[in-house]
């Protein structure tokens, strides 16, 4: 049937895009000398105040966009909060891409593994280890690694290379926001229908505006797949911990969602 044929066509297009990306990678060569874990190096924002201020502004603008979606407002507050908690990070990254926020990073000063071992042994000889506070597990600062930052930069570069329009960003945000696969949702079928409508609207818009680029819809879905590989904790550590400190994103999102942005 026509629907199956369209599905096979888009699948083949998506496969060809992924294959072309693989062909663009350099061929594997001999392992470089020295430490092979360069992607694990810890990095930090060069100007954390500037970047965090920009990210905060984009987050406010993103939540304002979400609140202005009529079908989102029709959901119970518990469902709204569950959706926002699960997708605030990819929505923020889409907003950063839309606002053309560039990331400049520097390698953070972090002691080597040998230094940490020696320091830990010395501290263990001098003072007994202290037990963590009851009921509050310790989660110390964990600066993002170079590989984690590169994943975010690659996502931003992919968006900018596609020159995504305002409408396309809106449909992508709708696809991310209305995720019916979250555990605990009650309005699953309704949310699934909204996600399907967002994807259909994106497909129709692409066919109308980019008639000569049959692969664009698949390329935009590759953008969504890149989003899924980025951890929300990394986004929180990168954009909010340098200014706010140990932040509870659930509490902050609840406060912002219930406020009149």
């Amino acid at each position: 049937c026509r629907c199956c044929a369209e599905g096979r066509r888009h699948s083949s297009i998506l496969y060809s895009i992924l294959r072309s990306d693989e062909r663009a990678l350099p061929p594997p060569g001999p392992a470089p000398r020295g430490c092979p874990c360069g992607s694990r190096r810890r990095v930090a924002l060069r100007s954390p105040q500037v970047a965090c201020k920009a990210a905060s502004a984009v987050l406010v603008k993103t939540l304002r966009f979400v609140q202005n979606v009529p079908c989102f407002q029709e959901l119970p507050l518990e469902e709204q909060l569950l959706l926002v908690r699960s997708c605030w990070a990819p929505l923020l990254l889409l907003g950063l891409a839309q606002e053309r926020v560039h990331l400049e990073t520097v390698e953070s000063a972090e002691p080597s593994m040998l230094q940490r071992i020696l320091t830990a042994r010395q501290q263990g000889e001098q003072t007994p280890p202290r037990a963590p506070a009851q009921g509050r597990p310790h989660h110390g600062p964990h600066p993002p690694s170079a590989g984690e930052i590169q994943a975010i930069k690659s996502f931003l570069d992919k968006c900018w290379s596609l020159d995504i329009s305002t409408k396309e960003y809106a449909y992508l945000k709708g696809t991310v926001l209305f995720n019916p696969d979250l555990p605990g949702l009650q309005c699953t079928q309704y949310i699934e229908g909204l996600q399907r409508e967002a994807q259909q609207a994106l497909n129709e818009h692409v066919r109308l505006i980019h008639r000569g680029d049959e692969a664009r819809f698949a390329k935009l879905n590759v953008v969504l797949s890149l989003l899924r590989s980025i951890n929300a904790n990394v986004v929180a550590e990168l954009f909010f911990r340098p200014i706010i400190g140990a932040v509870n994103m659930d509490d902050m999102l609840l406060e912002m969602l219930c406020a009149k942005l």
Side-chain angles (χ1 to χ4, degrees):
C1 67
R2 181 179 179 183
C3 294
C4 295
E6 289 292 326
R8 289 193 297 270
R9 187 173 68 87
H10 286 301
S11 299
S12 61
I13 293 173
L14 177 58
Y15 178 78
S16 63
I17 293 171
L18 295 174
R19 291 295 298 170
S20 65
D21 287 344
E22 293 174 357
R23 288 194 295 269
L25 296 174
R33 293 183 178 181
C35 179
C37 51
S39 63
R40 299 178 184 176
R41 297 192 318 270
R42 298 298 165 189
V43 295
L45 295 171
R46 182 182 296 274
S47 302
Q49 290 81 4
V50 175
C52 293
K53 183 178 180 180
S56 298
V58 170
L59 182 60
V60 171
K61 189 173 182 179
T62 299
L63 291 180
R64 186 183 296 123
F65 163 82
V66 169
Q67 288 179 323
N68 288 333
V69 177
C71 49
F72 179 80
Q73 294 177 344
E74 294 177 0
L75 291 169
L77 180 59
E78 294 79 8
E79 303 275 283
Q80 295 181 22
L81 184 57
L82 185 58
L83 291 173
V84 171
R85 279 175 173 171
S86 69
C87 70
W88 71 267
L91 288 179
L92 174 62
L93 292 176
L94 283 170
L96 292 174
Q98 186 174 4
E99 299 293 330
R100 296 271 176 171
V101 176
H102 292 265
L103 302 184
E104 294 186 13
T105 57
V106 293
E107 187 170 349
S108 61
E110 184 176 338
S112 66
M113 183 177 296
L114 177 60
Q115 289 174 322
R116 290 197 296 269
I117 294 174
L118 295 176
T119 303
R121 286 183 177 179
Q122 184 177 3
Q123 290 177 349
E125 293 172 357
Q126 295 176 353
T127 58
R130 291 183 294 178
Q134 293 294 330
R136 295 185 61 185
H138 176 67
H139 298 287
H142 185 348
S145 67
E148 291 168 335
I149 301 302
Q150 185 56 46
I152 295 177
K153 288 185 175 181
S154 297
F155 164 77
L156 296 175
D157 290 339
K158 184 67 174 179
C159 290
W160 296 334
S161 68
L162 291 174
D163 194 20
I164 301 176
S165 68
T166 301
K167 284 189 175 182
E168 288 171 336
Y169 273 118
Y171 297 140
L172 289 173
K173 291 175 184 177
T175 301
V176 171
L177 174 63
F178 298 114
N179 180 9
D181 299 325
L182 295 177
L185 287 176
Q186 301 297 322
C187 308
T188 306
Q189 292 184 350
Y190 178 66
I191 293 173
E192 184 177 7
L194 294 175
Q195 186 184 66
R196 184 167 55 250
E197 288 181 14
Q199 278 280 286
Q200 290 174 350
L202 176 62
N203 193 10
E204 292 174 3
H205 174 78
V206 167
R207 289 188 176 189
L208 179 64
I209 304 299
H210 301 275
R211 296 181 179 178
D213 189 357
E214 295 184 356
R216 184 170 181 83
F217 180 72
K219 293 176 183 177
L220 293 174
N221 278 282
V222 170
V223 168
L224 294 178
S225 68
L226 292 176
L227 270 180
R228 299 186 189 100
S229 66
I230 300 175
N231 193 306
N233 292 331
V234 173
V235 179
E237 288 286 341
L238 183 65
F239 292 109
F240 297 105
R241 181 180 285 275
I243 300 299
I244 303 176
V247 57
N248 187 318
M249 291 303 301
D250 285 351
D251 293 343
M252 190 171 75
L253 291 170
L254 176 60
E255 181 178 352
M256 296 176 70
L257 191 63
C258 295
K260 294 182 178 180
L261 300 175

